């Protein structure tokens, strides 16, 4: 909980299981924070892999959430609170300037 990795599996299968459980934990933190797991613009919610977290202010972004799996829940929640959920299509349109949030 302090952000330090206490467990580092040595075999590949154990490491993959550990990483998967951390990703699922982070996804649950996102769901708890937003109340749902759907695109803020269009409401898409069919495939969680097609949903991205978009930082509202890029200057406040410390790191990508996908790189934070070894960080504490507090740091992860701080980063989540700087974001909105967008589907891949809406996310691309925001970055191309076709859509504003």
């Amino acid at each position: 909980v302090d952000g330090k990795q206490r467990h580092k599996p040595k075999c590949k299968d154990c490491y993959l299981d550990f990483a998967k459980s951390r990703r699922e934990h982070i996804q649950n933190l996102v769901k708890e924070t937003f109340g749902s797991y759907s695109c803020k613009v269009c409401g898409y919610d069919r495939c969680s892999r097609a949903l991205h977290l978009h930082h509202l202010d890029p200057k406040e972004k410390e790191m990508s959430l996908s790189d934070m799996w070894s960080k504490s829940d507090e740091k992860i929640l701080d980063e989540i609170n700087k974001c909105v959920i967008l589907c891949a299509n809406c996310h691309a349109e925001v970055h191309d300037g076709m859509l504003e949030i």
Side-chain angles (χ1 to χ4, degrees), residues 14-74:
C14 293
Y15 174 80
L16 293 174
D17 288 344
F18 173 71
K20 180 181 178 187
S21 70
R22 282 301 293 165
R23 283 191 304 272
E24 288 172 354
H25 176 69
I26 292 170
Q27 191 174 50
N28 287 334
L29 290 175
V30 171
K31 289 176 186 177
E32 289 171 12
T33 300
F34 292 109
S36 67
Y37 207 57
S38 61
C39 178
K40 179 178 177 148
V41 175
C42 70
Y44 178 87
D45 65 356
R46 291 183 53 201
C47 176
S48 64
R49 291 178 63 187
L51 294 169
H52 305 169
L53 285 175
H54 172 73
H55 282 80
L56 293 170
D57 184 355
K59 294 175 187 170
E60 290 185 13
K61 180 178 180 177
E62 290 183 40
M63 66 174 34
S64 172
L65 208 62
S66 60
D67 295 330
M68 295 188 77
W69 63 273
S70 65
K71 303 294 183 191
S72 69
D73 284 1
E74 182 181 344

